[in-house]
Amino acid sequence: MFGAFRPTSVAQGGLLWKTPWKLSVTRKANARSRLKKVDAVIEAVRSSGVQCSALEHALKLPKEHEMPAKDKYTVFSPHEKGYRKGIHKVPKWTRLTLRTNPKGF
Amino acid sequence: MALNLCRRQQIALPLLRFNARRALSTATLPAETQNFTPSAPTSVLSETPNTHFKITLRRSGISMGKKIQGTLLALGFHRRHQTVYHPHSPEIAGKILRVKELVEVENVPTQLALTKQQQRQARKAPSGFEVVGLRRDNFMNV
């Protein structure tokens, strides 16, 4: 009715924002292809031969094939049980780099 | 790796690999690769070195914040799917890496680095006629 909001009974507050707790197979595939595209951009800048500190930072990021599934589809959250939440819960996650998480989480 | 091969193919496969390995070890490399030194990165088509970034905006900067939108403006982007050419430099490289999630990059030689007018000419369809002369050019010249 109102975009992402679904109508519920007035006793429960009237509006409910439902999102699945994990990504579907399609969304995961799209996330992987976006990671590969960013890898291609970093590779293009590296192969140009230019040197800058931003490139040094970018090369330290893991590539899509080096990342565990946990890092591709979930992100560190200090508030959740298990300290992880779905990466799709991060606003603008399709346009942000969220490859690394705090060590040990 | 699990390949769905028939029995005959399964027997033939190890032999192919063995022969390929032998061929690789005894093949002499061509002269260019033996004297290879990593110099200016070359384009695939010819030996011209790649001097420019060809940058295309694929994802918009809406709601990304003033800094990211400022970076896109600094690169010369005003709309999605716009292509922009910049010579190789650490400043441009830094800007690209700031917006790496939004952008697609390719390295091209100088000849392929088009200006805005050249890109527009390349996009134009042929008009179907050729202007041979204009009446106003002959006016008062007779």
Side-chain angles (χ1 to χ4, degrees), chain B residues 12-110:
Chain B
L13 192 60
L15 285 173
L16 286 171
R17 256 191 255 138
F18 171 69
N19 289 333
R21 220 178 284 135
R22 284 186 70 195
L24 281 171
S25 62
T26 55
T28 51
L29 296 168
E32 296 97 55
T33 52
Q34 275 172 346
N35 301 329
F36 178 72
T37 48
S39 59
T42 57
S43 57
V44 177
L45 294 171
S46 59
E47 288 301 313
T48 53
N50 289 330
T51 58
H52 283 67
F53 290 119
K54 178 187 172 187
I55 318 165
T56 310
L57 186 67
R58 293 291 181 207
R59 320 283 307 280
S60 87
I62 296 168
S63 302
M64 294 307 292
K66 282 188 229 170
K67 290 195 175 178
I68 300 279
Q69 287 171 358
T71 309
L72 291 176
L73 206 63
L75 284 167
F77 288 122
H78 295 278
R79 68 196 69 80
R80 255 181 68 201
H81 304 300
Q82 189 181 352
T83 305
V84 140
Y85 294 86
H86 284 292
H88 284 164
S89 74
E91 292 83 20
I92 296 294
K95 283 176 191 151
I96 290 169
L97 290 168
R98 190 85 164 83
V99 295
K100 57 187 177 307
E101 301 82 11
L102 312 177
V103 130
E104 185 184 308
V105 177
E106 194 193 321
N107 290 309
V108 295
T110 319

Side-chain angles (χ1 to χ4, degrees), chain A residues 59-91:
Chain A
L59 290 171
K60 284 176 190 155
L61 292 171
K63 292 203 176 74
E64 187 267 336
H65 63 89
E66 294 162 5
M67 288 171 73
K70 198 167 125 178
D71 281 344
K72 284 189 233 185
Y73 315 127
T74 62
V75 92
F76 170 73
S77 168
H79 310 295
E80 305 282 326
K81 187 176 169 185
Y83 299 101
R84 282 269 175 167
K85 72 175 182 186
I87 197 170
H88 60 299
K89 304 266 177 174
V90 177

